Amino acid sequence: MKRYFLLLFTLLLAFTTFGCGGQQAATSSSSSASSSAAPQELHVSAAASLTDAINELGELYKKDHPNVTITPSYGSSGALEKAIENGAPADVFLSAGKKQMDDLEKAGEALGGTRLDLLKNDLVLIAPSNSDAAKAVKDPDKVTESVSPFQALTNADVRKIAIGGDGVPVGSYSKEALDYLQLTDAVQPKVVYATDVRQVLAWVASGDCDRGLVYATDAKTTKDVTVLAAAPAASHRPVVYPAAVVKSAKEADLAKDFLTFLQSDAAQAVFAKYGFAKP
C-alpha cells in the first residue's frame, strides 16, 4: 500500500511540474514574440505642403506601431510621381494634385482600389510681412488704394512674383487663377518659377520675391509672410489631395493601414491644426 501511494505521489508531482513548466514556457514565448516584432519601414512620398503634418503624424502612428519606421520623401508632386515611376522606393503617395495621381495610375503604379481624396486646401497670395502691402492688410484703415491685391500685381513696386513651375500642382492652380483674373500677360515678365510650394514660401519670406502664390496651409507655417488675399474659388480647380498605395510597395498591408490611420479622427485633427480640411 505504501508503494502504491508513493507511486501515485510521484506521478502527481511529475504532472504538476510538467504542466507549470509548459505554461511558463508558453508565456515566455508569447512575451518574447510581442516584444520583438519584426521592424518595418514605410516609405511615404508626400507633397511638400504636407511636410509638417506628416512629420507629426508619423510620430503619432509610431506610438501604436513602435516597430515601424516612417521614412518620408517631400517635394513637388510631379517630381515625386516621376521618381516612383523610375523605381524610387515608395509605399504611399500623397499628392497635392489629381493630375499627378492620374498619371501614376495611367503608368500602372497605383494599387487598384486604394485611391482616395484625403484633404483639401486653398490658394492664397502672400507678401513679406514687413512689406507695405502686408502692413496695409494688418491695418485696413491706412489703405489708400481700392485696387485688389491681385490687381496690384501689375504695380511697379511688385518686381518679382513667385509661383510653382511645371509639374508643381500649386503652379498649375496659380496659372489658372492668373488666367481667370486676366493678369497672365501683364505679370509674366515678373514671374519666377520654384521647384515646389515651400520654395515659393521661402523666397517670399526672405524678401527675394515681392509676392507669391502658395497654399493657405503653407502661409500658416511662418510669421515672415502675410496673406493678402485668397484666390477666388472659381478661378482654379479645387485643391484636392489624393492618396494611394503604390503598386510596387514592399509594405502594401502596412501602407493600407497607414492610409486608414490618416482618415481617422485623430489624424484629421492634426491636419486641421495645420489648416487642411476634408474634401
Side-chain angles (χ1 to χ4, degrees), residues 9-165:
F9 176 79
T10 303
L11 289 173
L12 287 172
L13 181 62
F15 176 80
T16 303
T17 303
F18 176 80
C20 290
Q23 183 178 6
Q24 184 177 1
T27 302
S28 176
S29 175
S30 175
S31 176
S32 175
S34 63
S35 63
S36 60
Q40 294 176 285
E41 184 175 15
L42 187 69
H43 291 271
V44 179
S45 291
S49 52
L50 290 167
T51 299
D52 303 288
I54 293 299
N55 283 345
E56 182 170 339
L57 287 168
E59 292 302 315
L60 185 62
Y61 185 78
K62 193 171 177 64
K63 287 183 178 179
D64 291 329
H65 304 78
N67 61 310
V68 176
T69 298
I70 305 291
T71 303
S73 297
Y74 301 115
S76 74
S77 299
L80 293 173
E81 178 254 317
K82 292 299 181 185
I84 293 171
E85 289 185 24
N86 290 325
D91 298 298
V92 176
F93 179 44
L94 307 175
S95 175
K98 289 189 173 185
K99 178 185 182 301
Q100 289 71 28
M101 188 63 76
D102 291 343
D103 290 344
L104 195 73
E105 285 187 323
K106 290 176 183 176
E109 290 295 336
L111 188 62
T114 64
R115 177 174 176 170
L116 56 94
D117 287 340
L118 183 64
L119 303 164
K120 70 176 181 179
N121 212 334
D122 294 309
L123 181 70
V124 297
L125 178 66
I126 59 172
S129 289
N130 59 359
S131 65
D132 290 339
K135 294 174 182 176
V137 169
K138 296 172 184 176
D139 191 355
D141 293 336
K142 293 184 179 180
V143 176
T144 58
E145 57 181 31
S146 59
V147 178
S148 74
F150 276 97
Q151 295 300 324
L153 291 176
T154 61
N155 291 353
D157 62 328
V158 178
R159 297 174 296 277
K160 289 184 179 180
I161 304 168
I163 69 173

Side-chain angles (χ1 to χ4, degrees), residues 159-226:
R159 297 174 296 277
K160 289 184 179 180
I161 304 168
I163 69 173
D166 291 338
V168 182
V170 73
S172 298
Y173 300 129
S174 299
K175 292 171 186 174
E176 290 173 11
L178 293 174
D179 284 344
Y180 177 87
L181 296 169
Q182 299 181 353
L183 292 170
T184 300
D185 292 340
V187 303
Q188 186 57 49
K190 305 179 180 184
V191 171
V192 291
Y193 297 100
T195 57
D196 59 46
V197 68
R198 286 300 170 97
Q199 189 172 59
V200 174
L201 184 70
W203 284 348
V204 178
S206 66
D208 289 336
C209 288
D210 305 297
R211 301 288 189 275
L213 282 160
V214 300
Y215 300 125
T217 53
D218 291 287
K220 286 170 65 71
T221 65
T222 175
K223 295 180 180 179
D224 294 330
V225 303
T226 296

